[in-house]
Amino acid sequence: MAKIHELSENLSNQIAAGEVIERPASVVKELVENSIDAGASRIRVDFVDSGLKQIVVQDNGSGIAKDQIDLAFTRHATSKINNEHDLFNVATLGFRGEALASIAAVAHIEILTNTANGIGSRAVFSGGSKLTQEDGASAQGTKITVKDLFFNTPARLKYLRSPRTEMVKIVDIINRIALGYPQIALTLSNKGKVLLRTPGNGKLPQTVATVYGRHIAEKMVAIKNDDSDFQVAGLISKPELTRSTRNFISILLNGRYIRNFKLATAVMDGYGSKLTAKHYPIAIISIKVDPLLVDVNVHPTKQEVRLSKEKELGRLITSAVSAALIDKGQEIDALANLEQPKDTLVDQLQFNLNKNVVNTKREVEPVPEVHESAPAFSESNTTNHYVDLTKPRSDSRYVITPTWRENVQKQIALTPFNQTKSQTEVISAGDATLANNLPELTFVGQTDLYLLAQSKGDLFLVDQVAARRRLAFERIKKAMNATKITQQGLLTPIVLEFGNLDFLQIKDKLAEFKKIGIYLENFGQDSFIVRSYPTWIKGDTEESLRLILADYLDQAKTDFSHLFNDIAAKQAKKEVSGRIKLSAGEASELLADLRQCLDPYRDAEGHLTLVKLSQTDLRKMFKKDE
């Protein structure tokens, strides 16, 4: 049996670092939280190579006395709690006393600090050991430089994501801290290039504007509610402004960003039926609560907490969101979202058009019985239980049939699919029976809402709005996929501002947007400038561009073929806003054009463009067969 022994201090620190310091963003979080606990009103963060090469955090807080620097880098040494009672009454972000020791165990650290009435001090730590300490000129506050993170634990680097992902995580954690502390002026930069700068004036809407962009801040609604235990305040987006993930819901408990599924759900419950499926609001929910009701000593990163009266808090948040939306004329009405199933009429139309309806039910093959008396494997029956994957078989347990190689050669010899169709709308197998089956229609008249047409005695009712949107959709898609997309110059260029995360996300995909004629130039300070636009965009150019980019940001998984279809569909809907009076010639031309569409039976959103009443249907309606 192995002998029990006490671990060395250096090894203990590395183990603790594994729990607290998961990635560069963890270092940034711990150091910035220390600055906040030190009473800083200005904090600056700069990093290089996603934080792996260098992270610098500088503040104007209270600083550390030179005779306490060694203690600050010792595990379980803290100024924030003194006894067991304090552990359940934590009013600061940090309290474990592990952050500095954990970071020093896996990196090179230089600290330059000064208190209000003292002489500045400079100290250097590496791999958990102190190298030097000396006096150094410094303004009040603390500046910590972390270099070569995980230099002595290279295995840790294997579990990090791409440099870009690690950078985004740093930006995300600073964004949430900024939203929780609008009274602190925060600056975040990458190699000196500013990614975020908050005013630090205590006004949350202005902080939201710097984090998410001014156009989002303008669509936020203030909420406020309280009871004997909790005070809830913050900002929520209007129902029309959503994202595809919950990541934009920030729950801040006594200034600490936490992850809590139930509280995030309570926010969405406040919207009622105003949120469609898989759409989530942007929300900053600040909760003030007596620290005695919160146990933050649950997880090393302190992002998960145990909360008393969680159900009561959830109800308080839900009522606050509902009240705010009602006050702003966003009443919640579930009845407005009720709709008829969309598939019924389509299925009927598909059945009517399909002349050769066959039974596609597959016969169920009997499953052979397995008898316990037959061993699963033995040396005597090895060949009966293992199939040679390279040898054709003709029995029911075949893997490769006798004609398999012949079929493969036939497939290889086939002409490739028409490449010009790869850029057009993809029609599903279910829609294939509808497409290209529309007969030639003769216009006979129109009502206020529908065109009437006939073909061989059958009557067709055509929704002219849906039909015109289908034509507009296909025209826009064709323009998007053109080899050379026509551009319209702008007399006054448009500047589009974004939050830092949205800016970085769009910046990575500029080449994709160029494919459809949208040219975005980096204008600095998280903004793009647009000097021309594709002519397939109609109406307000700036509004259209913002909606297009918002659609991209809302994609949970970036599928640009699906995104471009969605953009074309929305542009078509915007272009064809309602019914117009058509002449007989215009109506006939519309019917002829509709017949050339990929799917003439519905618009890009799935709404039917026409319905058919056959001669048999009409005879039954008038009871001619009775």
Side-chain angles (χ1 to χ4, degrees):
M1 179 178 178
K3 205 174 173 184
I4 299 174
H5 62 278
E6 186 177 358
L7 296 176
S8 66
E9 182 179 356
N10 185 45
L11 185 55
S12 297
N13 286 339
Q14 288 193 13
I15 293 172
E19 297 177 344
V20 179
I21 309 303
E22 300 173 333
R23 53 182 11 109
S26 305
V27 175
V28 173
K29 174 181 177 293
E30 296 294 340
L31 295 181
V32 172
E33 287 183 349
N34 280 348
S35 296
I36 294 172
D37 288 340
S41 61
R42 295 191 308 275
I43 303 173
R44 183 178 182 89
V45 181
D46 186 79
F47 62 92
V48 179
D49 290 348
S50 303
L52 289 173
K53 186 174 182 180
Q54 179 174 288
I55 297 171
V56 181
V57 177
Q58 185 173 8
D59 64 60
N60 64 343
S62 58
I64 303 173
K66 63 180 180 180
D67 60 347
Q68 290 196 315
I69 291 178
D70 286 350
L71 199 56
F73 281 83
T74 303
R75 283 187 68 208
H76 307 308
T78 180
S79 61
K80 298 164 187 177
I81 61 173
N82 295 307
N83 51 48
E84 294 86 349
H85 177 267
D86 292 343
L87 184 60
F88 299 99
N89 192 24
V90 176
T92 55
L93 295 177
F95 62 91
R96 292 176 181 271
E98 289 185 317
L100 291 178
S102 297
I103 297 169
V106 292
H108 305 302
I109 287 188
E110 178 188 77
I111 179 171
L112 186 62
T113 183
N114 193 1
T115 58
N117 302 313
I119 299 174
S121 299
R122 174 183 174 273
V124 177
F125 294 80
S126 178
S129 302
K130 181 181 177 183
L131 301 183
T132 62
Q133 181 173 337
E134 60 188 2
D135 292 343
S138 171
Q140 180 181 341
T142 302
K143 178 181 179 181
I144 294 181
T145 303
V146 180
K147 293 184 178 180
D148 302 328
L149 187 62
F150 303 134
F151 78 97
N152 56 352
T153 54
R156 221 32 113 61
L157 299 173
K158 297 179 181 179
Y159 298 97
L160 297 180
R161 305 287 291 277
S162 67
R164 176 145 198 88
T165 300
E166 295 301 329
M167 182 179 71
V168 167
K169 289 185 178 296
I170 292 175
V171 174
D172 182 61
I173 197 64
I174 291 297
N175 283 349
R176 297 189 194 275
I177 291 174
L179 295 171
Y181 291 88
Q183 71 276 18
I184 297 177
L186 268 164
T187 302
L188 175 67
S189 59
N190 177 22
K191 297 181 181 178
K193 182 180 179 181
V194 175
L195 300 177
L196 175 71
R197 181 181 283 118
T198 64
N201 57 9
K203 297 180 179 179
L204 182 57
Q206 290 188 18
T207 304
V208 171
T210 61
V211 172
Y212 293 136
R214 177 177 52 83
H215 64 289
I216 287 182
E218 291 173 350
K219 295 182 179 180
M220 302 293 280
V221 178
I223 68 168
K224 192 173 183 180
N225 205 357
D226 62 79
D227 61 13
S228 58
D229 296 308
F230 304 99
Q231 293 180 0
V232 175
L235 295 172
I236 59 171
S237 62
K238 294 180 180 179
E240 64 268 21
L241 178 62
T242 59
R243 289 290 183 263
S244 60
T245 70
R246 300 173 186 264
N247 292 342
F248 289 82
I249 300 177
S250 296
I251 308 292
L252 301 153
L253 188 65
N254 289 341
R256 183 194 310 278
Y257 166 64
I258 64 169
R259 293 176 181 148
N260 189 299
F261 177 81
K262 291 181 180 179
L263 296 184
T265 302
V267 174
M268 293 185 292
D269 288 344
Y271 283 82
S273 58
K274 290 295 182 182
L275 291 178
T276 55
K278 297 183 180 180
H279 284 72
Y280 306 93
I282 300 171
I284 302 96
I285 309 297
S286 178
I287 304 165
K288 299 296 182 184
V289 59
D290 189 330
L292 289 172
L293 294 177
V294 184
D295 182 5
V296 296
N297 190 29
V298 175
H299 192 275
T301 64
K302 302 182 289 291
Q303 289 190 356
E304 297 177 14
V305 301
R306 188 175 292 112
L307 184 64
S308 297
K309 300 186 177 181
E310 189 174 63
K311 290 183 179 180
E312 290 82 350
L313 176 58
R315 287 194 289 266
L316 192 69
I317 292 173
T318 299
S319 62
V321 172
S322 298
L325 294 177
I326 291 174
D327 288 344
K328 295 298 179 180
Q330 302 287 342
E331 290 85 1
I332 297 169
D333 181 12
L335 293 176
N337 284 341
L338 292 179
E339 57 182 14
Q340 296 295 328
K342 295 180 179 180
D343 295 335
T344 305
L345 293 177
V346 176
D347 292 342
Q348 183 62 49
L349 179 59
Q350 180 175 355
F351 182 84
N352 290 343
L353 288 170
N354 191 356
K355 305 300 182 184
N356 301 312
V357 180
V358 296
N359 182 13
T360 60
K361 184 178 179 180
R362 300 177 63 181
E363 295 183 1
V364 179
E365 297 181 0
V367 179
E369 295 184 6
V370 178
H371 300 284
E372 294 184 1
S373 58
F377 171 76
S378 69
E379 294 183 0
S380 61
N381 65 1
T382 302
T383 56
N384 295 331
H385 287 270
Y386 287 87
V387 177
D388 187 348
L389 297 179
T390 63
K391 183 179 180 181
R393 296 172 62 96
S394 58
D395 57 19
S396 61
R397 295 182 179 86
Y398 65 84
V399 176
I400 299 177
T401 64
T403 60
W404 181 79
R405 289 189 177 88
E406 179 184 351
N407 292 337
V408 170
Q409 293 303 318
K410 288 181 179 179
Q411 286 293 112
I412 295 174
L414 289 175
T415 304
F417 291 111
N418 189 336
Q419 295 300 315
T420 58
K421 287 190 177 182
S422 64
Q423 296 181 342
T424 58
E425 182 186 10
V426 178
I427 300 180
S428 66
D431 294 336
T433 57
L434 293 175
N436 302 319
N437 280 316
L438 183 63
E440 184 175 355
L441 301 179
T442 302
F443 173 71
V444 295
Q446 61 183 308
T447 67
D448 288 342
L449 299 177
Y450 304 103
L451 304 179
L452 278 69
Q454 67 168 345
S455 175
K456 299 178 181 179
D458 296 332
L459 178 65
F460 289 80
L461 296 177
V462 181
D463 183 338
Q464 63 141 295
V465 173
R468 287 164 51 220
R469 284 178 178 170
R470 162 50 66 174
L471 294 174
F473 170 78
E474 298 209 0
R475 174 176 49 77
I476 292 170
K477 282 286 294 184
K478 184 178 180 180
M480 281 182 169
N481 294 322
T483 305
K484 186 176 181 180
I485 300 176
T486 307
Q487 293 282 313
Q488 174 65 51
L490 290 165
L491 294 176
T492 304
I494 298 171
V495 177
L496 303 174
E497 299 174 348
F498 293 92
N500 45 29
L501 284 179
D502 289 348
F503 173 80
L504 292 172
Q505 194 172 344
I506 294 171
K507 184 180 176 183
D508 275 352
K509 302 298 180 184
L510 295 183
E512 296 291 341
F513 287 109
K514 283 184 180 179
K515 293 179 181 178
I516 59 172
I518 297 176
Y519 296 90
L520 304 171
E521 300 176 29
N522 190 344
F523 198 55
Q525 292 297 317
D526 298 338
S527 62
F528 299 100
I529 188 169
V530 181
R531 305 182 190 277
S532 64
Y533 65 93
T535 53
W536 54 260
I537 291 181
K538 306 295 182 183
D540 189 318
T541 306
E542 180 174 354
E543 180 188 2
S544 296
L545 289 171
R546 286 196 179 279
L547 290 174
I548 289 169
L549 296 175
D551 281 346
Y552 163 67
L553 294 171
D554 282 345
Q555 296 284 330
K557 293 183 179 179
T558 306
D559 178 359
F560 276 92
S561 61
H562 180 274
L563 174 65
F564 292 162
N565 277 343
D566 187 49
I567 291 172
K570 290 185 177 180
Q571 285 293 311
K573 185 175 182 179
K574 187 177 179 182
E575 186 176 324
V576 181
S577 57
R579 186 187 66 85
I580 59 175
K581 184 69 174 179
L582 298 176
S583 65
E586 292 171 332
S588 297
E589 184 179 0
L590 184 148
L591 295 174
D593 292 342
L594 187 64
R595 191 164 179 254
Q596 304 303 317
C597 291
L598 289 172
D599 184 355
Y601 294 95
R602 67 191 78 185
D603 66 11
E605 292 186 330
H607 301 130
L608 287 175
T609 58
L610 56 86
V611 293
K612 169 190 173 184
L613 295 173
S614 66
Q615 293 187 61
T616 302
D617 294 331
L618 293 172
R619 291 183 65 86
K620 288 180 179 178
M621 288 180 183
F622 288 98
K623 300 184 177 181
K624 295 288 187 181
D625 297 330
E626 293 183 358

